[in-house]
């Protein structure tokens, strides 16, 4: 209870001497602020993990249950630890900010009705509270629809991967086609020579069947050797080797680029993309409802304080404040004057400050009077000395030097 009192910015000394109803009010108020800080910490930690987790297939990311194959997809421990630290820091920041917003919000006019003037004064706090509520609601929202988001995101990743592969093929195939046009003529000539060599080889085998090779077989063998030399020379020609090597290099680069398609598609798994998909899945109504729910939780303490009826705690608090001001010599004359815009202003009189100023002024005046009396007495004494012995104050000088030196 005391912890929640501190979270609400209430005075423990007064509450312990106040009614049970006041104690419960500030207990609930502090509980809402602590709960908001905890939700902010969880939401911030999850958002941090979603942003910095290793990219991969959306279906297999961030799961602890076994998949169909029986393998477990473990959470990335280093990222989780960083997200845990960030979540704690973020939760404490939001808790401190909420505590300041609620504790700095006044109690209005002490009635249940929220007037236009009270609402106008609370607008900056309501605006900050709404921003905090939205930062909490979005990570919670994408966690609520995580399964649906993963499926939709996986489909987008597949589409992205296919589109990347198609674009990669179109770029590299055009380069490969240019190289193939350069070696098409040589390939056609090689094919023709290889076919001729194959035919000669078949004829040579027929000539050598069931008898010793004759002159015809020797002639065929001679033609085969010559044709083999031509094929080898054509295959090793500099132009053919160069173009063929360039084609193989392009094919290797295309294969490497295609292997990167999954990596580029996995990069689609980000916080912003998940928020977009979440809005597509849930629709504006459900998304707005979740945001309004967290805004209600965040803004409830502010409206609660504006609707509070003055209780013994408030009167005791005002009494203690007035006593403290009286003990320190502070007097406030309410609505004492109007400024240039016609607004009524209070006059604040600092009696202790005025007393110290009066004492200081009197001291300075006394010092001034004493200094003046001392100077007058010193002057009189010097005059007496001059009257008794003027030679001591007159210098004996040359005729051209005239004057007195005192």
């Amino acid at each position: 209870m005391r912890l929640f009192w501190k979270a609400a910015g209430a005075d423990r000394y007064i509450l312990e001497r106040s009614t049970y109803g006041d104690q419960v009010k500030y207990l609930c108020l502090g509980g809402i602020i602590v709960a908001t800080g905890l939700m902010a910490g969880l939401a911030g930690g999850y958002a941090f993990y979603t942003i910095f987790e290793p990219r991969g297939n959306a279906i297999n990311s961030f799961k602890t249950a076994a998949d169909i194959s029986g393998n477990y997809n473990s959470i990335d421990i280093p990222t989780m630890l960083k997200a845990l630290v960030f979540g704690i820091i973020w939760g404490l920041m939001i808790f401190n900010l909420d505590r300041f917003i609620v504790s700095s919000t006044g109690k209005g006019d002490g009635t249940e009705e929220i007037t236009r003037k009270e609402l106008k004064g609370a607008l900056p706090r309501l605006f900050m509270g709404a921003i905090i509520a939205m930062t909490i609601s979005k990570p919670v929202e994408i966690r609520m629809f995580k399964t649906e988001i993963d499926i939709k995101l996986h489909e987008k990743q597949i589409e992205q991967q296919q589109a990347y592969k198609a674009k990669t093929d179109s770029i590299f195939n055009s380069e490969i086609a240019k190289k193939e046009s350069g070696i098409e003529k040589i390939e056609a000539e090689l094919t023709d020579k290889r076919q001729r060599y194959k035919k000669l080889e078949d004829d040579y085998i027929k000539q050598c069947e069931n008898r010793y090779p004759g002159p015809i077989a020797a002639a065929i063998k001679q033609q085969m050797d010559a044709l083999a030399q031509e094929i080898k020379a054509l295959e090793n020609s500099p132009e053919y080797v160069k173009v063929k090597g360039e084609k193989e290099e392009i094919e290797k680069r295309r294969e490497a680029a295609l292997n990167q398609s999954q990596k580029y598609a996995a990069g689609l798994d980000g916080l912003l993309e998940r928020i977009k998909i979440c809005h597509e899945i849930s629709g504006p109504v459900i998304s707005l409802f979740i945001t309004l729910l967290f805004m209600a939780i965040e803004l409830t303490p502010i409206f609660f304080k504006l609707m509070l009826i003055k209780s013994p705690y408030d009167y005791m608090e005002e009494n203690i404040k007035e006593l403290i001001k009286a003990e320190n010599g502070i007097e406030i004359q309410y609505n004492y004057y109007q400024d240039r815009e016609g607004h009524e202003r209070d006059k604040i009189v600092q009696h202790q400050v005025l007393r110290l100023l009066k004492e200081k002024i009197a001291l300075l005046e006394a010092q001034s009077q004493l200094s003046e009396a001392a100077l007058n007495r010193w002057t009189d004494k010097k005059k007496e000395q001059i009257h008794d012995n003027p030679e001591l104050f007159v210098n004996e000088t040359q005729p051209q030097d005239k004057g007195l030196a005192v």
Side-chain angles (χ1 to χ4, degrees):
M1 180 178 284
R2 291 172 180 172
L3 174 64
F4 289 164
W5 286 351
K6 288 183 179 180
D11 193 322
R12 170 187 165 186
Y13 175 83
I14 302 175
L15 280 175
E16 288 178 345
R17 290 157 179 80
S18 186
T19 61
Y20 181 74
D22 286 335
Q23 295 177 358
V24 172
K25 285 179 184 178
Y26 285 95
L27 170 68
C28 298
L29 190 63
I32 295 174
I33 296 173
V34 172
T36 305
L38 291 175
M39 288 190 298
L42 293 173
Y46 179 71
F48 185 92
Y49 187 92
T50 304
I51 294 171
F52 294 100
E53 70 174 329
R55 296 290 179 255
N57 191 312
I59 298 297
N60 297 329
S61 63
F62 199 75
K63 290 183 179 179
T64 54
D67 55 19
I68 298 175
S69 62
N71 297 323
Y72 283 85
N73 301 306
S74 60
I75 298 172
D76 186 63
I77 301 299
T79 307
M80 185 189 69
L81 294 176
K82 294 177 183 178
L84 181 63
V85 174
F86 177 82
I88 293 173
I89 296 174
W90 181 254
L92 291 174
M93 286 174 57
I94 298 300
F95 167 77
N96 188 54
L97 187 58
D98 277 343
R99 186 170 182 264
F100 171 74
I101 292 173
V102 173
S103 61
S104 62
T105 302
K107 299 178 180 62
D109 55 4
T111 61
E112 291 183 349
E113 183 181 359
I114 300 178
T115 61
R116 183 179 298 179
K117 182 178 180 181
E118 291 175 344
L119 189 60
K120 183 179 179 181
L123 278 179
R125 297 174 178 85
L126 294 174
F127 179 72
M128 289 188 290
I131 294 176
I132 295 173
M134 285 189 287
T135 60
I136 297 174
S137 65
K138 291 308 173 185
V140 174
E141 186 177 347
I142 64 176
R143 188 63 185 90
M144 290 172 62
F145 299 101
K146 186 179 187 306
T147 303
E148 294 83 358
I149 292 173
D150 286 344
I151 295 173
K152 186 70 175 178
L153 185 60
H154 183 57
E155 294 175 359
K156 284 194 172 186
Q157 286 179 335
I158 294 175
E159 294 174 359
Q160 182 76 11
Q161 188 173 359
Q162 295 299 327
Y164 179 81
K165 285 183 178 181
K167 185 176 180 180
T168 302
D169 285 334
S170 65
I171 293 174
F172 285 97
N173 287 344
S174 61
E175 295 184 15
I176 292 174
K178 292 179 182 179
K179 300 301 177 183
E180 285 180 345
S181 63
I183 62 175
E184 186 176 8
K185 182 178 179 181
I186 301 175
E187 288 283 353
E189 188 176 352
L190 279 172
T191 302
D192 180 63
K193 289 182 181 295
R194 286 167 182 162
Q195 289 176 353
R196 288 166 52 195
Y197 183 86
K198 179 64 176 175
K199 184 178 180 181
L200 289 173
E201 187 178 26
D202 293 340
D203 293 341
Y204 180 76
I205 292 173
K206 289 179 181 178
Q207 292 293 327
C208 294
E209 289 179 351
N210 302 324
R211 58 195 176 113
Y212 294 104
I216 297 175
I220 294 173
K221 184 68 171 67
Q222 186 177 4
Q223 292 179 13
M224 287 175 59
D225 292 340
L227 194 57
Q229 291 294 329
E230 293 178 6
I231 293 173
K232 185 176 181 181
L234 194 59
E235 289 177 342
N236 295 327
S237 63
E239 181 182 357
Y240 179 70
V241 173
K242 178 183 177 183
V243 177
K244 189 176 180 181
E246 291 176 351
K247 178 186 174 183
E248 291 176 353
E249 181 64 26
I250 294 173
E251 289 176 343
K252 289 180 180 178
R253 288 194 287 115
R254 182 184 67 174
E255 189 67 23
L258 291 175
N259 292 334
Q260 294 290 323
S261 61
Q262 186 174 1
K263 179 180 178 181
Y264 287 116
L268 194 64
D269 185 9
L271 181 63
L272 180 60
E273 189 65 29
R274 287 182 173 271
I275 293 176
K276 289 181 180 178
I277 296 174
C278 181
H279 289 172
E280 294 175 5
I281 295 172
S282 62
V285 177
I286 298 178
S287 178
L288 179 62
F289 175 78
I290 296 173
T291 304
L292 290 177
L293 175 63
F294 281 94
M295 287 182 67
I297 296 173
E298 178 68 29
L299 302 181
T300 293
I302 301 175
F303 287 110
F304 177 75
K305 291 200 72 176
L306 294 177
M307 293 187 297
L308 278 179
I309 300 175
K310 280 194 173 183
S311 61
Y313 172 84
D314 301 310
Y315 291 111
M316 293 168 63
E317 185 183 26
E318 290 178 1
N319 184 47
I320 290 176
K321 289 180 179 178
E322 293 298 327
L323 288 173
I324 293 174
K325 287 189 288 187
E327 289 176 357
N328 291 275
I330 301 173
E331 178 188 0
I332 300 178
Q333 300 178 12
Y334 298 98
N335 302 327
Y336 186 80
Y337 66 97
Q338 289 185 350
D339 57 14
R340 294 180 179 178
E341 298 178 356
H343 298 170
E344 293 184 345
R345 300 296 181 184
D346 301 333
K347 180 182 179 181
I348 301 175
V349 182
Q350 306 283 353
H351 287 286
Q352 285 201 15
V353 175
L354 292 176
R355 179 179 60 83
L356 291 174
L357 286 174
K358 289 179 180 179
E359 291 178 356
K360 193 68 175 177
I361 292 171
L363 178 62
L364 292 174
E365 289 178 350
Q367 290 178 348
S368 177
Q369 292 174 1
L370 292 174
S371 299
E372 185 178 357
L375 287 173
N376 292 334
R377 183 72 184 90
W378 182 82
T379 303
D380 293 340
K381 185 177 180 180
K382 288 297 180 182
K383 287 180 179 180
E384 292 176 357
Q385 292 178 358
I386 294 173
H387 182 271
D388 295 338
N389 193 1
E391 289 82 5
L392 294 175
F393 297 88
V394 178
N395 293 329
E396 295 182 359
T397 59
Q398 298 295 331
Q400 66 270 18
D401 297 330
K402 298 180 179 180
L404 295 177
V406 179

